[in-house]
């Protein structure tokens, strides 16, 4: 299927590894001009080289912390107008309510919620002018079914979901779609870190934790970043122009909702 987005411009944040890197790879494979962002220049450049080798597309790297207002402003200025935004940020710290002091809540809000809002604020006007745009927010199945030891993620990714739905209602008439993709247990560095933390508290090994998570999914395994990336590529496409305001789980059937 030709997704009709060759030559479009995309910005993918949190793209030095994991889900963001996979999303950038999938878009580049469709002929999109991709800019990737993260805090690590070395890891960004390694990811860009990997994407170039696989797709023969040149990927632009912009280093910066999207939770810091000055970095985000510089990122947007350097990047310029885009057609596709994939808003992704590393997950906030794991833990229960009593584990996090007020300053940790503030940092988590800046990383997870405000970065999505501020990126949208900066990039949306050019999409309105062109009457075409794709806003895609990587959240989590935690917005559909909260995870006990991920209270920060539960709270602020739910905020992104409400924001996305509101934006979708307002800007659909301008040819702009806004959707969330909700990864389930996916084989990323982030999941490995969560497993290590849970292992330290449970007495099990991290491998046992990860194996248990995969076995609890109807598909019988953990997801692959490339599988979420395929959904992102489709939502970026011309064919997905009538899909907006959705939160789409990519979780191997783990969360058993009717809608």
């Amino acid at each position: 299927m030709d997704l009709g987005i060759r030559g479009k411009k995309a910005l993918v944040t949190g793209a030095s590894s994991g889900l963001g890197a996979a999303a950038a790879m999938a878009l580049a494979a469709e002929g999109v001009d991709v800019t990737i962002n993260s805090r690590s220049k070395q890891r960004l450049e390694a990811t860009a080289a990997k994407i170039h080798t696989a797709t023969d597309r040149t990927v632009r790297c912009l280093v910066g912390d999207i939770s810091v207002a000055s970095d985000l402003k510089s990122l947007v200025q350097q990047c310029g107008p885009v057609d596709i935004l994939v808003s992704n940020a590393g997950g906030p710290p794991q833990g229960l309510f009593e584990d996090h002091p007020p300053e940790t809540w503030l940092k988590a809000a800046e990383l997870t919620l405000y970065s999505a809002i501020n990126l949208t604020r900066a990039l949306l006007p050019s999409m309105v002018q062109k009457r075409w745009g794709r806003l895609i927010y990587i959240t989590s199945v935690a917005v559909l079914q909260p995870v006990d030891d991920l209270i920060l993620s539960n709270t602020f990714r739910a905020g992104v979901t409400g924001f996305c739905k509101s934006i979708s209602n307002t800007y659909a008439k301008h040819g702009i779609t806004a959707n969330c993709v909700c990864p389930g247990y996916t084989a990323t560095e982030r999941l490995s870190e969560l497993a290590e933390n849970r292992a330290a508290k449970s007495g099990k090994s991290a491998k046992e934790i990860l194996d248990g998570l995969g076995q609890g999914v109807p598909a019988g395994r953990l997801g692959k970043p490339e599988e979420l990336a395929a959904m992102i590529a489709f939502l970026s496409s011309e064919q997905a122009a009538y899909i907006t305001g959705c939160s789409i789980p990519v979780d191997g059937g783990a969360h058993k909702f009717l809608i």
Side-chain angles (χ1 to χ4, degrees), residues 100-110:
H100 302 301
E103 55 269 25
T104 302
W105 281 85
L106 180 58
K107 288 180 181 179
E110 290 170 341

PDB file of all heavy atoms in Angstrom, residues 100-110:
ATOM      1  N   HIS A 100       6.656   9.649  45.400  1.00  0.00           N
ATOM      2  CA  HIS A 100       7.039  10.797  44.587  1.00  0.00           C
ATOM      3  C   HIS A 100       6.753  12.117  45.301  1.00  0.00           C
ATOM      4  O   HIS A 100       5.587  12.437  45.578  1.00  0.00           O
ATOM      5  CB  HIS A 100       6.287  10.781  43.258  1.00  0.00           C
ATOM      6  CG  HIS A 100       6.506   9.537  42.463  1.00  0.00           C
ATOM      7  ND1 HIS A 100       7.750   9.121  42.044  1.00  0.00           N
ATOM      8  CD2 HIS A 100       5.623   8.608  42.010  1.00  0.00           C
ATOM      9  CE1 HIS A 100       7.637   8.000  41.362  1.00  0.00           C
ATOM     10  NE2 HIS A 100       6.360   7.656  41.331  1.00  0.00           N
ATOM     11  N   PRO A 101       7.773  12.926  45.564  1.00  0.00           N
ATOM     12  CA  PRO A 101       7.564  14.254  46.136  1.00  0.00           C
ATOM     13  C   PRO A 101       7.004  15.206  45.087  1.00  0.00           C
ATOM     14  O   PRO A 101       7.006  14.906  43.884  1.00  0.00           O
ATOM     15  CB  PRO A 101       8.975  14.672  46.567  1.00  0.00           C
ATOM     16  CG  PRO A 101       9.879  13.925  45.640  1.00  0.00           C
ATOM     17  CD  PRO A 101       9.202  12.621  45.366  1.00  0.00           C
ATOM     18  N   PRO A 102       6.523  16.379  45.510  1.00  0.00           N
ATOM     19  CA  PRO A 102       5.899  17.320  44.569  1.00  0.00           C
ATOM     20  C   PRO A 102       6.785  17.683  43.381  1.00  0.00           C
ATOM     21  O   PRO A 102       6.287  17.827  42.257  1.00  0.00           O
ATOM     22  CB  PRO A 102       5.617  18.547  45.443  1.00  0.00           C
ATOM     23  CG  PRO A 102       5.426  17.992  46.810  1.00  0.00           C
ATOM     24  CD  PRO A 102       6.387  16.846  46.909  1.00  0.00           C
ATOM     25  N   GLU A 103       8.100  17.831  43.597  1.00  0.00           N
ATOM     26  CA  GLU A 103       8.955  18.231  42.489  1.00  0.00           C
ATOM     27  C   GLU A 103       9.038  17.151  41.414  1.00  0.00           C
ATOM     28  O   GLU A 103       9.196  17.449  40.220  1.00  0.00           O
ATOM     29  CB  GLU A 103      10.364  18.581  42.982  1.00  0.00           C
ATOM     30  CG  GLU A 103      11.069  17.500  43.781  1.00  0.00           C
ATOM     31  CD  GLU A 103      10.833  17.602  45.278  1.00  0.00           C
ATOM     32  OE1 GLU A 103       9.799  18.167  45.693  1.00  0.00           O
ATOM     33  OE2 GLU A 103      11.700  17.115  46.038  1.00  0.00           O
ATOM     34  N   THR A 104       8.902  15.886  41.806  1.00  0.00           N
ATOM     35  CA  THR A 104       8.901  14.810  40.817  1.00  0.00           C
ATOM     36  C   THR A 104       7.630  14.851  39.976  1.00  0.00           C
ATOM     37  O   THR A 104       7.659  14.602  38.764  1.00  0.00           O
ATOM     38  CB  THR A 104       9.033  13.442  41.515  1.00  0.00           C
ATOM     39  OG1 THR A 104      10.236  13.427  42.281  1.00  0.00           O
ATOM     40  CG2 THR A 104       9.089  12.309  40.496  1.00  0.00           C
ATOM     41  N   TRP A 105       6.511  15.175  40.613  1.00  0.00           N
ATOM     42  CA  TRP A 105       5.257  15.343  39.868  1.00  0.00           C
ATOM     43  C   TRP A 105       5.384  16.464  38.840  1.00  0.00           C
ATOM     44  O   TRP A 105       4.933  16.331  37.697  1.00  0.00           O
ATOM     45  CB  TRP A 105       4.106  15.641  40.836  1.00  0.00           C
ATOM     46  CG  TRP A 105       3.590  14.425  41.524  1.00  0.00           C
ATOM     47  CD1 TRP A 105       4.086  13.849  42.654  1.00  0.00           C
ATOM     48  CD2 TRP A 105       2.489  13.609  41.108  1.00  0.00           C
ATOM     49  NE1 TRP A 105       3.362  12.729  42.975  1.00  0.00           N
ATOM     50  CE2 TRP A 105       2.371  12.555  42.063  1.00  0.00           C
ATOM     51  CE3 TRP A 105       1.589  13.661  40.057  1.00  0.00           C
ATOM     52  CZ2 TRP A 105       1.390  11.574  41.955  1.00  0.00           C
ATOM     53  CZ3 TRP A 105       0.613  12.688  39.946  1.00  0.00           C
ATOM     54  CH2 TRP A 105       0.520  11.655  40.889  1.00  0.00           C
ATOM     55  N   LEU A 106       6.011  17.571  39.236  1.00  0.00           N
ATOM     56  CA  LEU A 106       6.163  18.697  38.315  1.00  0.00           C
ATOM     57  C   LEU A 106       7.038  18.318  37.124  1.00  0.00           C
ATOM     58  O   LEU A 106       6.699  18.612  35.968  1.00  0.00           O
ATOM     59  CB  LEU A 106       6.761  19.895  39.057  1.00  0.00           C
ATOM     60  CG  LEU A 106       6.985  21.159  38.216  1.00  0.00           C
ATOM     61  CD1 LEU A 106       5.680  21.638  37.587  1.00  0.00           C
ATOM     62  CD2 LEU A 106       7.601  22.260  39.071  1.00  0.00           C
ATOM     63  N   LYS A 107       8.153  17.643  37.392  1.00  0.00           N
ATOM     64  CA  LYS A 107       9.033  17.222  36.302  1.00  0.00           C
ATOM     65  C   LYS A 107       8.333  16.249  35.368  1.00  0.00           C
ATOM     66  O   LYS A 107       8.506  16.305  34.142  1.00  0.00           O
ATOM     67  CB  LYS A 107      10.304  16.598  36.879  1.00  0.00           C
ATOM     68  CG  LYS A 107      11.246  17.594  37.529  1.00  0.00           C
ATOM     69  CD  LYS A 107      12.487  16.901  38.072  1.00  0.00           C
ATOM     70  CE  LYS A 107      13.426  17.903  38.736  1.00  0.00           C
ATOM     71  NZ  LYS A 107      14.640  17.247  39.290  1.00  0.00           N
ATOM     72  N   ALA A 108       7.539  15.348  35.940  1.00  0.00           N
ATOM     73  CA  ALA A 108       6.808  14.384  35.114  1.00  0.00           C
ATOM     74  C   ALA A 108       5.778  15.084  34.233  1.00  0.00           C
ATOM     75  O   ALA A 108       5.579  14.721  33.073  1.00  0.00           O
ATOM     76  CB  ALA A 108       6.130  13.339  35.994  1.00  0.00           C
ATOM     77  N   ALA A 109       5.130  16.094  34.785  1.00  0.00           N
ATOM     78  CA  ALA A 109       4.162  16.862  33.993  1.00  0.00           C
ATOM     79  C   ALA A 109       4.845  17.581  32.840  1.00  0.00           C
ATOM     80  O   ALA A 109       4.343  17.605  31.710  1.00  0.00           O
ATOM     81  CB  ALA A 109       3.441  17.870  34.888  1.00  0.00           C
ATOM     82  N   GLU A 110       6.006  18.160  33.103  1.00  0.00           N
ATOM     83  CA  GLU A 110       6.742  18.875  32.056  1.00  0.00           C
ATOM     84  C   GLU A 110       7.200  17.920  30.957  1.00  0.00           C
ATOM     85  O   GLU A 110       7.144  18.247  29.770  1.00  0.00           O
ATOM     86  CB  GLU A 110       7.942  19.597  32.676  1.00  0.00           C
ATOM     87  CG  GLU A 110       7.540  20.774  33.558  1.00  0.00           C
ATOM     88  CD  GLU A 110       8.696  21.336  34.360  1.00  0.00           C
ATOM     89  OE1 GLU A 110       9.714  20.619  34.513  1.00  0.00           O
ATOM     90  OE2 GLU A 110       8.599  22.486  34.829  1.00  0.00           O
TER      91      GLU A 110
END
